[in-house]
């Protein structure tokens, strides 16, 4: 796997800006669509890194169009861990439900609980506790407002979805770094994304 290709493909979009907008927009549909876009790019980067081809999916004019569920299946066949695959499938399903059904305006608790359980299983396998994962939301002045966790009833589901995505992204980047076959030192500190949510 080529980590350079992974990071170059993935960082070809403004990840920090998209994630910040996903977390700060007061709209579950907008959050879901942005998180899905980030997930799709993450999956493509995984596939490109395995194939050793950064432009495997083409550019704007010659884009290869493949459904997200097919990309997820391909990434799974290329070794993406099953719990991460299941989480990505749930995000894809949520996106399809929200995008194609005008009656669905929110992110259901059941979807968040399902992804929390799945990612919790994965994090446990790598020695982490999902109940200790969270993000602090601050005012524009830097004063803390709320800590979003996946187990807190008070946290909004759109913020929990952003946290699930951030955990997924972090774990995939760690896997890529550990499997990198090139002469790189596997130091991804330049790609650490710290998102400060303002209200």
């Amino acid at each position: 796997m080529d980590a350079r290709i992974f990071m170059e493909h993935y960082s070809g979009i403004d990840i920090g800006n998209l994630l910040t907008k996903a977390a700060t927009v007061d709209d579950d549909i907008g959050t879901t669509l942005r998180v899905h876009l980030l997930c799709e790019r993450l999956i493509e980067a995984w596939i490109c890194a395995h194939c050793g081809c950064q432009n495997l999916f083409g550019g704007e004019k010659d884009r290869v169009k493949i459904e997200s569920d097919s990309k997820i299946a391909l990434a799974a066949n290329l070794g993406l861990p099953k719990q991460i695959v299941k989480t990505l499938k749930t995000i894809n399903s949520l996106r399809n439900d929200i995008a194609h059904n005008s009656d669905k305006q929110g992110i259901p608790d059941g979807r968040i609980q399902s992804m929390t359980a799945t990612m919790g299983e994965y994090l446990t396998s790598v020695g982490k506790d999902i109940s200790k994962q969270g993000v602090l939301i601050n005012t524009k002045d830097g004063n803390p407002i709320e800590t979003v966790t996946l187990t807190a009833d008070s946290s909004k589901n759109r913020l929990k979805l952003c946290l699930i995505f951030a955990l997924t992204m972090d774990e995939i980047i760690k896997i890529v770094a550990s499997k990198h076959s090139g002469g790189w030192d596997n130091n991804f500190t330049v790609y650490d994304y710290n998102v400060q949510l303002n209200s």
Side-chain angles (χ1 to χ4, degrees):
M1 175 179 283
D2 191 319
R4 289 178 190 268
I5 288 175
F6 177 91
M7 293 311 296
E8 286 171 9
H9 184 83
Y10 191 52
S11 62
I13 59 173
D14 191 346
I15 300 162
N17 186 44
L18 277 169
L19 187 53
T20 299
K21 283 184 180 177
T24 56
V25 67
D26 193 18
D27 169 26
D28 284 1
I29 295 171
T31 297
T32 302
L33 294 176
R34 285 180 179 93
V35 167
H36 184 268
L37 174 65
L38 288 164
C39 286
E40 191 162 13
R41 190 69 178 209
L42 192 60
I43 295 160
E44 286 180 3
W46 178 271
I47 295 166
C48 290
H50 268 280
C51 296
C53 180
Q54 184 176 342
N55 283 330
L56 185 66
F57 293 96
E60 287 184 34
K61 294 182 180 180
D62 62 345
R63 185 93 179 130
V64 176
K65 296 187 189 318
I66 300 173
E67 295 291 324
S68 291
D69 59 342
S70 296
K71 289 178 187 175
I72 294 168
L74 184 54
N77 289 345
L78 291 170
L80 194 62
K82 66 181 180 178
Q83 298 95 339
I84 293 177
V85 168
K86 187 175 178 183
T87 300
L88 293 169
K89 284 182 178 181
T90 304
I91 292 171
N92 187 52
S93 175
L94 174 64
R95 181 259 178 214
N96 290 340
D97 286 352
I98 285 180
H100 300 299
N101 186 345
S102 60
D103 294 338
K104 301 241 180 185
Q105 295 295 315
I107 300 168
D109 292 341
R111 294 287 178 96
I112 295 297
Q113 291 162 357
S114 171
M115 289 184 281
T116 299
T118 304
M119 278 307 293
E121 182 183 324
Y122 179 78
L123 290 175
T124 299
S125 76
V126 295
K128 296 180 184 173
D129 182 353
I130 199 160
S131 68
K132 295 183 179 177
Q133 307 301 315
V135 64
L136 178 63
I137 300 176
N138 296 317
T139 64
K140 290 179 183 176
D141 300 328
N143 298 317
I145 299 173
E146 173 187 6
T147 299
V148 176
T149 67
L150 296 171
T151 55
D153 291 334
S154 63
S155 298
K156 295 175 182 162
N157 282 349
R158 64 183 169 76
L159 296 175
K160 289 181 180 182
L161 180 62
C162 291
L163 177 55
I164 289 166
F165 167 74
L167 292 171
T168 303
M169 177 180 67
D170 186 51
E171 292 305 315
I172 290 175
I173 289 172
K174 286 178 182 166
I175 294 166
V176 170
S178 71
K179 294 181 179 276
H180 178 55
S181 60
W184 210 0
D185 64 1
N186 294 342
N187 182 353
F188 283 84
T189 53
V190 69
Y191 294 108
D192 284 344
Y193 295 99
N194 297 312
V195 178
Q196 180 176 352
L197 307 178
N198 297 314
S199 64

